Amino acid sequence: MSMAGNLRKVGNLRKVGGLRKVARVAQFVRKHSRVDLSHPARSPLGSAVVKCVTYRKGVRQEDGRDLVEEVERVRKSGDGFVWLGLHEPTEEEFAGIAELFDLHPLAVEDAVHAHQRPKVERYDETLFSVFKTVCYVEHAELTATSEVVDTGEIMVFVGKEFVITVRHGRHGSLGPLREELESAPEQLAKGPAAVLHALADHVVDDYLVVTDAVQADIDQVEMDVFSKDGERTDPGRIYQLKRELLELKRAVVPLGRPLQTLSTQPMQAIAPEIQAYFRDVDDHLKRVTEQIASFDELLNSILQAHLAQVTVAQNEDMRKITAWAAVIAVPTMVCGVYGMNFDHMPELHWKYGYGVVIGVIVTTCCALYRGFRRNGWL
C-alpha cells in the first residue's frame, strides 16, 4: 500500500472513533470465553500475550479481568493505565490489539517483524520506542567460535492510558522489572512514562553487566597473549571477541540519540519530571559507549601485539635455522672438496691428513657455534 493509502487508512480510523474500535474488538472477544489474559496459552487475543495488568494510583489491580473492559473502564475514569506484555506476536495476534489501542500501522509493522535500530517515534498521542536488549552468553572457555553476546529487542508503545511491550529474543524477560516497579507504587503512579523510563534503565543496566563480563574475556585473552608462549595463542579468539563486540556496539551506540530525544524534547506522553530520569539513563549509556570504544582499541592493540610476537618468533626461528646452516656448511664444504677424487690434492697421502681435516672441521664448527650462541642466535 502506498503512503497516501496508509494516511487515508489512518484518517478513516480516526473518523470512526475510539468507541467503535472498542465495540468491534469487544464483539471479537465475546465470541471466545472470558478468560485471564495473564495466561499466554488461554489469551483470546493470541498466545503471544504474556501479561496484562491494570494499575491505579500505582497499585496493581486484580488479575483475570477482560482486556476490553479494563481499557473501557480506564478511558472512562481517566485514572490508571493498562500494561500489556507480548512476546513475538504474529500479525494476526497483534491485529486486535492494534485496533483496540489505535496503533499506527507502520509502528505495528516494526513491532511484529522486529530487526529495528533503537529509535523513538511519535504517532499523534502515542510514543513508539525500540530498545536492543543484550545478554552475556556463559562459556567455559573462549574459543574462535564462542558466542559471547546475544541480542534481542523490546518495542514499547506508550499512550495516555496504556503501555504495550513487545519482546523479541530468547532473553530480556520483564517479569522482574514489573515486580520491582510494583514494589514502588509512587513511581508507577506517575503513569506509563514511568514504565518507559524503567524499561530504558533496565536495558542500559544490562549493558553495564554485559560489558563487565566482556571485559573479563578481554583480560583473559590479554594475559594469554603476553604469557611465555603468547605467540601460540589462537588469533581466532581475538577476532571472535571483536565480532561479538561489534554486535554489542550496534545495540548500544544507536540508542544515544533516542535517549537524548526522550530527555530533552517536550513530549505529550512524557512529563517533564520523568525526563530528568531519562538524563540519568543517558549518562549511563555514555559510560557503556566509552567502555565499548576502549575495548575496541584494546583488542586492536592486543591483536597487533600478537602479530608482532608471531613475527618475532618467526625471526627467531629463522636465525636459528641460519646459524645451524652456517655450522653445517663447514663440514659440507671440506668433505665436498675432498670428495672430488683428484690424484694430486694436499695431504691426500699423508699419514695424519684425515685426523687433521677432522680436527679442523670440529674446531671451526665449535667456534661458529660459540659465536652464534654468544650473539643470541642459538
Side-chain angles (χ1 to χ4, degrees), residues 336-347:
V337 170
Y338 278 90
M340 291 187 292
N341 298 321
F342 289 111
D343 290 335
H344 302 285
M345 294 185 67
E347 317 301 338

Side-chain angles (χ1 to χ4, degrees), residues 194-258:
V195 178
L196 179 61
H197 160 261
L199 283 167
D201 189 48
H202 173 72
V203 169
V204 174
D205 285 345
D206 286 343
Y207 292 167
L208 292 170
V209 173
V210 172
T211 51
D212 290 341
V214 172
Q215 184 175 8
D217 284 334
I218 295 176
D219 292 341
Q220 182 61 48
V221 170
E222 186 178 17
M223 291 177 57
D224 294 341
V225 168
F226 289 100
S227 63
K228 184 177 180 181
D229 298 327
E231 69 278 359
R232 298 182 180 178
T233 302
D234 183 11
R237 299 170 60 195
I238 306 176
Y239 280 110
Q240 180 66 13
L241 270 179
K242 286 184 67 66
R243 284 194 295 266
E244 295 297 309
L245 189 64
L246 179 61
E247 184 176 0
L248 179 61
K249 184 177 180 180
R250 288 173 178 171
V252 173
V253 175
L255 185 58
R257 182 169 294 182

Side-chain angles (χ1 to χ4, degrees), residues 108-129:
V108 171
E109 182 180 358
D110 291 344
V112 172
H113 296 288
H115 303 295
Q116 303 294 317
R117 284 170 56 89
K119 62 181 179 179
V120 173
E121 295 176 343
R122 284 177 284 187
Y123 297 97
D124 296 330
E125 297 181 357
T126 302
L127 194 67
F128 176 65
S129 304

Side-chain angles (χ1 to χ4, degrees), residues 76-296:
K76 290 179 180 178
S77 64
D79 181 24
F81 64 93
V82 176
W83 183 354
L84 178 64
L86 302 97
H87 180 257
E88 298 183 354
T90 63
E91 293 182 2
E92 293 77 11
E93 292 171 332
F94 203 65
I97 296 173
E99 187 176 12
L100 174 63
F101 292 100
D102 193 17
L103 304 179
H104 196 280
L106 296 179
V108 171
E109 182 180 358
D110 291 344
V112 172
H113 296 288
H115 303 295
Q116 303 294 317
R117 284 170 56 89
K119 62 181 179 179
V120 173
E121 295 176 343
R122 284 177 284 187
Y123 297 97
D124 296 330
E125 297 181 357
T126 302
L127 194 67
F128 176 65
S129 304
V130 177
F131 300 96
K132 283 281 190 179
T133 59
V134 297
C135 175
Y136 180 77
V137 181
E138 297 289 344
H139 45 267
E141 182 180 0
L142 179 67
T143 64
T145 58
S146 296
E147 184 181 9
V148 179
V149 177
D150 185 25
T151 60
E153 294 178 43
I154 296 179
M155 284 76 169
V156 187
F157 295 88
V158 176
K160 184 179 179 181
E161 69 282 340
F162 66 88
V163 175
I164 302 175
T165 55
V166 182
R167 185 168 59 89
H168 291 264
R170 298 172 293 178
H171 64 275
S173 174
L174 300 179
L177 176 64
R178 189 189 293 266
E179 295 177 358
E180 182 179 349
L181 282 173
E182 290 175 354
S183 64
E186 68 281 358
Q187 189 71 10
L188 270 178
K190 297 177 181 179
V195 178
L196 179 61
H197 160 261
L199 283 167
D201 189 48
H202 173 72
V203 169
V204 174
D205 285 345
D206 286 343
Y207 292 167
L208 292 170
V209 173
V210 172
T211 51
D212 290 341
V214 172
Q215 184 175 8
D217 284 334
I218 295 176
D219 292 341
Q220 182 61 48
V221 170
E222 186 178 17
M223 291 177 57
D224 294 341
V225 168
F226 289 100
S227 63
K228 184 177 180 181
D229 298 327
E231 69 278 359
R232 298 182 180 178
T233 302
D234 183 11
R237 299 170 60 195
I238 306 176
Y239 280 110
Q240 180 66 13
L241 270 179
K242 286 184 67 66
R243 284 194 295 266
E244 295 297 309
L245 189 64
L246 179 61
E247 184 176 0
L248 179 61
K249 184 177 180 180
R250 288 173 178 171
V252 173
V253 175
L255 185 58
R257 182 169 294 182
L259 282 182
Q260 288 181 355
T261 301
L262 291 172
S263 61
T264 58
Q265 295 186 10
M267 295 185 182
Q268 186 175 359
I270 301 178
E273 59 183 16
I274 300 295
Q275 285 189 322
Y277 292 97
F278 281 107
R279 286 195 291 269
D280 180 67
V281 178
D282 188 35
D283 290 338
H284 292 172
L285 182 69
K286 290 178 180 178
R287 173 189 166 189
V288 177
T289 303
E290 292 173 356
Q291 279 187 314
I292 293 176
S294 63
F295 289 166
D296 194 22

